[in-house]
Amino acid sequence: MPPRTKTTARTPSRSSTPLAEPLDAAAETDGQLDGSDEAGRPAGGAARGGRRRSGATGGGGAGGAGTRLVIVESPAKAKTIAGYLGPGWQVESSIGHIRDLPRSAADVPAAYKGKPWARLGVDVDNGFEPLYVVTPEKRPQVTRLKELVKDASELYLATDEDREGEAIAWHLLQTLKPRVPVKRMVFHEITPQAIRRAVDSPRDINENLVNAQETRRILDRLYGYEVSPVLWKKVMPKLSAGRVQSVATRILVERERARMRFRAAEYWNIDGRFAATVGHDGSAPDPTPLPASLVALDGRRLATGRDFDSSGQLTSTDVVRLDEPAARALAERLAGATFAVRSVETKPYRRSPYPPFMTSTLQQEAGRKLRFSSQRTMQIAQKLYENGYITYMRTDSTNLSETALAAAREQARQLYGPQYVPDQPRVYTKRVKNAQEAHEAIRPAGDVFRTPGEVRAELDTDSFRLYELIWQRTIASQMADARGTSATVRLGATSSAGEDAEFSATGKVITFPGFLRAYVEGADDPDAELEDRERRLPDVREGDRLDVRELRPLGHSTSPPPRYTEASLVKTLEELGIGRPSTYASIIATIQDRGYVWKKGTSLVPSFVAFAVVGLLEDHFARLVDYRFTASMENDLDDIAAGTAASTDWLTRFYFGDGGRGNGNGNGASGDGSAAGLKQLVSERLGEIDAREVNSIPLGEGPDGVPIVVRVGRYGPYVQHGERRASVPDELPPDELTIPKALELLSAPSGDRVLGTDPATGATITAKAGRYGPYVTMDTDPPRTASLLSSMSLETVTLDDALRLLTLPRVLGAAEDGEEVTVQNGRYGPYVRKGTQSRSLESEEQLFTITLDEALALLAQPKTRGRRTAAETPPLRELGPDPATGRPVVVKDGRFGPYVTDGETNASLRKGDEVATITIERAAELLADRRARGPATSRRGARSTARAAAGTSRTTTAKAGATRTAAKTTSTTRSKTTTARAGRSAAGSSAVAETGNGAGQAS
């Protein structure tokens, strides 16, 4: 297909109507957005190549004698660059994206509210023209930037040199409408030299990158807004689907399914410890012990874990499987045998260094070595980049510039000696599948690298640790190979029963450490032996007799496939070519925020809600979660970024299909060659989906032959066996919900106790255990309920207690102004209330004893803030100093549950975190994530802003494209399903399913 014309003006195929832009920021339409783009920046849109290019390199107005204005994304970046440029320059931040597609119906300008495509924010019937709005919180900054542009002599757009950065620059250009010369300023590191080079070598906006970003944004909007309502109707309200998010969730669910199917198998072998009895070359026998394991019996290989399938059955008949009695008996028969060395095989060992970090490998290694989450790693790396310590941290390249090669080699030579540096620089040109823009690898900034010791005093603990990791990896990448020898020793004996038993030992000796002096890579499996670890063997030779020090039978059990960690999930996504390395951190954060995944230690555990969602998508929208199809979309987006494919044609095929004319690229084609587009696929399949079937996960059959299933209900998952039901505990991983465990849950007493009848009405009163605690209920219509007091329990509560509780809330009387005064037992304790005023009571007993006068006196007192009480409450646990701040971290019990705090920042414990087992490392991660999110926004203030914004209709960037048939329009029935109770993490995230390719993404 022909690409769009690369021009700064509209293409002839597009309408020539100019963009509808307000004269000032105050005239922009509200567009509150809470998502993030594919790089983790505040969400925003961009424009596709070949359209809306008016003034792509600035207007022709005279530049005046004002200062030169530079606009970057973040305030921290602006501050660093301002220090390098000096007088005559002003550096300001856009604070991320300033525009995006409307987030909700309230964000759509009045002029477009009646349009059938308004809910999407994309006119699918007119070339997929996007509707952009300026977010309310960015309006003051946009106003400031417009004022600064008026007084500037030149405008430099210095956003990051990737698709998102290019899109931010384009949106700034379209919104600010500068009448001064505009230059695109790019750099990979923030150092005085790099900034000067960027000023001296500006370029134009890369339309292909902008084009690709907008296409991705529109694609994710269409995917999220079309597929997510299906989940709302068939699974649970407020769920979301996304192009990469759903595939990542599927990967985790498939692994958990494998763990659920897995059946362990037991096998035994014998570990021996031997000692040399013969010295060589005039020396005494080598005292180094020789550990070896039984590997063969009578010439047949001994079975190991890899010889069993997931059902616990052997996959080969050519191996010997020992059980415990056989292994112990064999060890006894070998106790008096004579062991000798049968062979010694040595060969040279050589290991080359690892390439410098790119985004994905940095996330993996920081997860393995520093225990950082992917999101935390990117937050720290962003800060290091903005403050001039490292190069750009969103990159798919392992390449180093000539200056970086020289700096790394010189530093290695100075620190370790010339013998540790090869004659020629090492060049790493391998890039990952679907690599995006060709940046440099992540490395220390500057033409001369600063050592970790030189920056230690300037960085907090976590920033220093990550900088040190990047520095070590960069230096090691230019060092010499590690060299040594590896050896395999075979030894054996004949048992008293005539059996031939052969043992094997392997070892490695490093004779020249090379790059290992600077860096050793970690392993995903903490129990695995690192490839570069040295293991010495004694000096033994063929024919040498050995003393037996120990023969120990050892039992082994096959293990299920390990759950993914953040590091291993990132590695898998990269290998499959799904998503972008720069998006992985936000993808993982999104699936946790949506309740699809929770953490157990470092493992990612999918919830049963995730099982239901993935099952629905696999059964009815298999193509949308197909790994190859998702990866192929990345290839198509790369073609658009390269200017070799047209975005509108590609989106048309993806959304509407191509009637069989497609070639499989983005056309929605399934494996059978059909070419149905996304719109048709969703509309046709919705009626076929059986919600009960989708939300049922079979576990197997009970002893009576009746199936046992897990169902995802409105209030969470529960297990069902016939007519019996029981809730599934939140902290129970799916693979641990076995048939015996399910029967145990079903057999547990419900806790319901009939207490008696109400003397006044004759209604039955029952004490029950509820999801939010024990309570009593009266079977009236509607039923009356009351929570038990903290001093009561289900086992001891009486009918009198229940009758007393059911008098609540109690009306005390009316105040002088006529307002009613009541006393109530709330979620956070007892309190009195008058209108909107409330005050907490000191004890639950006051619920029944406080008088109207006492309540009015209490209401007249100033309201006590909760912080005072929290400060007086002793901590549940003391964890130690925070590695980032040095302040002591404790666990406390708050009104919303347990949380960790360092005295300044509070962070709630998440699902999977336990007060008794949480570590200081996990607490530091929670606190760091909370700090990175910034202060919480007042809901009351947000509602006020929304109401004020709704009062004014403002037109923003709308597109009036060529008219297309109205038959292509779509309509959506709003979900009127009641939302699940607050507290269910899987249902309580966001009513909007689509986001950008990042945090909260529909990617």
Side-chain angles (χ1 to χ4, degrees):
M1 73 194 73
R4 288 193 177 277
T5 304
K6 300 176 184 178
T7 173
T8 57
R10 287 176 177 272
T11 57
S13 63
R14 307 302 309 157
S15 166
S16 60
T17 306
L19 286 172
E21 290 282 357
L23 296 178
D24 55 66
E28 294 283 3
T29 300
D30 296 344
Q32 177 64 43
L33 301 166
D34 57 4
S36 297
D37 59 48
E38 65 173 9
R41 288 176 280 256
R48 297 195 295 282
R51 59 169 68 177
R52 300 179 301 282
R53 298 303 178 207
S54 55
T57 55
T67 59
R68 286 179 283 186
L69 176 63
V70 178
I71 301 180
V72 297
E73 302 100 317
S74 73
K77 188 175 175 182
K79 182 179 179 181
T80 305
I81 294 175
Y84 296 152
L85 291 176
W89 294 82
Q90 182 161 1
V91 187
E92 189 56 62
S93 167
S94 67
I95 318 177
H97 271 289
I98 59 172
R99 305 194 303 181
D100 193 17
L101 304 174
R103 187 70 177 201
S104 64
D107 298 335
V108 178
Y112 299 93
K113 285 187 180 293
K115 304 291 184 182
W117 51 267
R119 72 177 184 90
L120 286 173
V122 179
D123 189 351
V124 296
D125 294 317
N126 286 288
F128 295 88
E129 292 284 1
L131 174 65
Y132 290 118
V133 295
V134 172
T135 57
E137 71 272 14
K138 297 297 176 65
R139 277 205 229 113
Q141 190 66 7
V142 170
T143 300
R144 172 172 168 75
L145 292 175
K146 287 187 174 183
E147 292 299 322
L148 292 173
V149 168
K150 289 178 183 178
D151 298 330
S153 60
E154 288 181 303
L155 173 60
Y156 287 79
L157 299 174
T159 51
D160 293 334
E161 192 183 13
D162 60 5
R163 296 177 189 179
E164 288 299 319
E166 211 73 12
I168 292 174
W170 187 86
H171 277 278
L172 285 167
L173 192 63
Q174 297 298 308
T175 305
L176 300 180
K177 293 183 168 53
R179 300 182 62 84
V180 297
V182 179
K183 298 177 181 179
R184 180 75 170 98
M185 173 179 161
V186 294
F187 41 84
H188 299 311
E189 58 185 344
I190 303 177
T191 61
Q193 299 86 351
I195 298 303
R196 177 49 56 191
R197 287 193 294 265
V199 168
D200 294 339
S201 305
R203 63 164 174 80
D204 293 338
I205 288 179
N206 186 325
E207 297 175 6
N208 289 332
L209 296 185
V210 179
N211 187 15
Q213 190 277 345
E214 182 177 82
T215 306
R216 181 187 297 274
R217 186 72 186 96
I218 292 173
L219 169 64
D220 290 338
R221 170 58 64 100
L222 297 175
Y223 191 120
Y225 270 38
E226 292 291 3
V227 181
S228 296
V230 177
L231 304 183
W232 303 346
K233 294 179 177 69
K234 301 298 183 179
V235 181
M236 186 181 288
K238 296 192 176 182
L239 297 177
S240 71
R243 184 174 54 87
V244 178
Q245 165 194 323
S246 297
V247 173
T249 304
R250 182 191 177 194
I251 291 172
L252 299 175
V253 168
E254 285 191 330
R255 179 58 57 87
E256 196 71 11
R257 287 172 178 163
R259 291 175 63 88
M260 295 170 75
R261 293 191 301 266
F262 177 81
R263 297 294 179 267
E266 187 180 72
Y267 62 96
W268 284 68
N269 72 350
I270 300 173
D271 275 6
R273 287 177 64 84
F274 304 89
T277 61
V278 179
H280 296 284
D281 301 326
S283 301
D286 191 333
T288 305
L290 177 63
S293 297
L294 179 67
V295 294
L297 190 63
D298 290 331
R300 295 174 63 197
R301 184 171 60 84
L302 210 65
T304 62
R306 66 175 180 271
D307 294 312
F308 296 87
D309 60 21
S310 61
S311 64
Q313 301 300 311
L314 278 172
T315 58
S316 172
T317 58
D318 296 332
V319 296
V320 178
R321 179 183 183 181
L322 295 180
D323 56 17
E324 182 177 4
R328 295 192 181 281
L330 178 59
E332 291 177 2
R333 293 194 295 271
L334 288 171
T338 301
F339 281 83
V341 176
R342 294 181 174 178
S343 66
V344 178
E345 180 184 355
T346 61
K347 56 184 178 180
Y349 167 81
R350 195 177 192 93
R351 176 71 176 168
S352 297
Y354 315 96
F357 283 130
M358 54 186 177
T359 304
S360 59
T361 52
L362 177 64
Q363 292 176 15
Q364 293 173 50
E365 195 71 343
R368 288 188 290 244
K369 286 196 167 185
L370 308 181
R371 297 291 183 242
F372 289 167
S373 67
S374 296
Q375 190 173 39
R376 178 63 176 153
T377 299
M378 295 307 292
Q379 290 166 352
I380 299 171
Q382 177 87 35
K383 185 165 62 172
L384 289 171
Y385 165 67
E386 291 176 347
N387 288 287
Y389 289 99
I390 64 172
T391 53
Y392 190 55
M393 67 289 158
R394 295 186 183 95
T395 174
D396 301 325
S397 173
T398 56
N399 183 53
L400 291 176
S401 66
E402 293 294 331
T403 55
L405 288 172
R409 287 169 58 82
E410 179 59 28
Q411 200 156 64
R413 188 178 293 110
Q414 292 177 357
L415 292 173
Y416 303 107
Q419 70 273 25
Y420 282 88
V421 180
D423 294 336
Q424 297 298 323
R426 294 184 182 273
V427 179
Y428 301 91
T429 57
K430 180 181 178 181
R431 297 171 64 208
V432 298
K433 182 180 179 182
N434 292 330
Q436 205 170 288
E437 294 70 50
H439 298 299
E440 236 189 307
I442 303 171
R443 62 168 177 85
D447 297 339
V448 177
F449 299 161
R450 302 172 67 188
T451 65
E454 291 174 318
V455 302
R456 182 187 293 273
E458 304 170 13
L459 299 175
D460 60 58
T461 302
D462 285 354
S463 297
F464 170 76
R465 294 171 70 199
L466 190 63
Y467 178 85
E468 182 180 43
L469 192 69
I470 294 168
W471 178 88
Q472 289 173 338
R473 180 87 165 217
T474 306
I475 298 301
S477 72
Q478 291 304 309
M479 293 177 66
D481 291 349
R483 300 190 298 272
T485 58
S486 61
T488 300
V489 177
R490 292 276 181 159
L491 56 137
T494 302
S495 73
S496 59
E499 302 150 305
D500 181 74
E502 185 165 276
F503 289 68
S504 178
T506 58
K508 183 189 301 174
V509 176
I510 304 297
T511 57
F512 177 71
F515 75 93
L516 297 177
R517 285 284 304 277
Y519 185 83
V520 177
E521 190 175 55
D524 289 322
D525 182 359
D527 298 323
E529 182 178 350
L530 292 177
E531 183 179 354
D532 302 308
R533 184 175 296 165
E534 187 174 68
R535 184 183 183 188
R536 296 187 63 86
L537 295 179
D539 181 13
V540 294
R541 301 179 186 179
E542 186 175 336
D544 286 356
R545 292 188 58 178
L546 301 170
D547 280 345
V548 180
R549 298 291 175 83
E550 181 183 25
L551 288 175
R552 183 175 54 164
L554 282 180
H556 306 274
S557 180
T558 55
S559 300
R563 288 195 181 94
Y564 284 99
T565 62
E566 290 197 18
S568 58
L569 180 59
V570 165
K571 184 177 181 181
T572 300
L573 289 170
E574 180 184 271
E575 290 172 346
L576 293 173
I578 293 171
R580 296 292 183 198
S582 59
T583 70
Y584 295 152
S586 52
I587 289 168
I588 293 172
T590 296
I591 60 179
Q592 292 183 75
D593 292 342
R594 293 286 187 261
Y596 293 144
V597 177
W598 54 282
K599 268 191 170 182
K600 184 178 182 181
T602 60
S603 299
L604 297 172
V605 184
S607 65
F608 280 110
V609 173
F611 273 69
V613 169
V614 170
L616 183 153
L617 294 175
E618 288 175 333
D619 291 344
H620 301 280
F621 304 97
R623 176 178 52 81
L624 298 182
V625 288
D626 180 78
Y627 301 145
R628 288 178 298 177
F629 176 75
T630 306
S632 74
M633 284 196 286
E634 298 291 353
N635 290 328
D636 297 336
L637 290 168
D638 286 341
D639 292 339
I640 294 170
T644 59
S647 56
T648 301
D649 295 342
W650 188 86
L651 287 168
T652 299
R653 289 196 308 276
F654 175 78
Y655 190 66
F656 291 113
D658 64 356
R661 296 187 305 274
N663 56 8
N665 292 328
N667 63 357
S670 61
D672 60 5
S674 63
L678 177 66
K679 178 184 175 183
Q680 179 184 352
L681 196 65
V682 171
S683 60
E684 288 181 350
R685 298 291 172 85
L686 184 61
E688 303 173 2
I689 302 173
D690 183 338
R692 182 176 178 82
E693 180 182 352
V694 162
N695 291 289
S696 301
I697 299 103
L699 295 180
E701 293 185 352
D704 55 0
V706 177
I708 299 177
V709 296
V710 175
R711 302 195 191 279
V712 177
R714 179 179 173 187
Y715 303 116
Y718 61 92
V719 63
Q720 182 171 357
H721 180 219
E723 298 301 318
R724 299 163 62 199
R725 298 184 179 187
S727 294
V728 176
D730 288 343
E731 67 279 2
L732 184 67
D735 75 323
E736 295 180 17
L737 185 54
T738 59
I739 294 295
K741 182 64 177 180
L743 293 173
E744 178 186 330
L745 294 174
L746 290 162
S747 301
S750 65
D752 293 1
R753 287 180 57 222
V754 176
L755 303 179
T757 57
D758 179 16
T761 64
T764 301
I765 298 176
T766 307
K768 295 187 175 185
R771 190 170 185 83
Y772 303 104
Y775 65 99
V776 292
T777 181
M778 181 186 296
D779 62 351
T780 54
D781 188 18
R784 293 172 57 193
T785 61
S787 297
L788 266 60
L789 304 183
S790 60
S791 58
M792 299 177 178
S793 68
L794 281 175
E795 294 75 16
T796 60
V797 65
T798 65
L799 177 62
D800 290 340
D801 293 332
L803 291 171
R804 197 177 183 207
L805 290 171
L806 289 168
T807 63
L808 301 174
R810 187 164 64 94
V811 178
L812 300 180
E816 291 183 0
D817 56 6
E819 281 196 285
E820 190 175 72
V821 180
T822 60
V823 59
Q824 306 181 36
N825 189 25
R827 181 179 178 186
Y828 307 114
Y831 65 99
V832 293
R833 182 182 184 91
K834 180 176 83 73
T836 59
Q837 293 292 312
S838 63
R839 298 292 185 273
S840 296
L841 297 177
E842 293 181 359
S843 68
E844 292 174 327
E845 187 59 32
Q846 288 181 285
L847 286 166
F848 310 104
T849 60
I850 193 170
T851 64
L852 176 61
D853 290 340
E854 291 171 338
L856 290 173
L858 184 60
L859 289 164
Q861 297 176 8
K863 196 165 187 177
T864 302
R865 306 304 299 174
R867 287 185 179 275
R868 184 182 307 170
T869 304
E872 297 168 355
T873 304
L876 303 177
R877 280 187 64 202
E878 296 181 358
L879 302 179
D882 186 343
T885 65
R887 290 189 288 268
V889 178
V890 298
V891 185
K892 286 195 170 187
D893 191 17
R895 64 184 297 191
F896 302 109
Y899 64 96
V900 292
T901 178
D902 65 354
E904 291 189 6
T905 304
N906 300 339
S908 297
L909 268 60
R910 298 179 183 173
K911 184 177 179 180
D913 295 327
E914 299 292 341
V915 173
T917 59
I918 190 169
T919 63
I920 183 60
E921 290 79 14
R922 176 60 175 160
E925 179 183 327
L926 294 173
L927 291 169
D929 286 346
R930 185 65 190 87
R931 293 187 199 101
R933 291 199 302 269
T937 304
S938 166
R939 290 188 178 183
R940 182 178 298 177
R943 287 195 296 267
S944 300
T945 302
R947 285 195 296 269
T952 306
S953 296
R954 303 179 178 93
T955 303
T956 61
T957 312
K959 300 297 175 273
T963 305
R964 190 167 177 155
T965 174
K968 293 286 187 180
T969 59
T970 56
S971 62
T972 296
T973 303
R974 291 188 178 181
S975 173
K976 297 182 179 179
T977 308
T978 307
T979 58
R981 289 187 185 178
R984 285 298 306 157
S985 61
S989 298
S990 168
V992 179
E994 174 278 340
T995 62
N997 197 355
Q1001 71 173 6
S1003 163

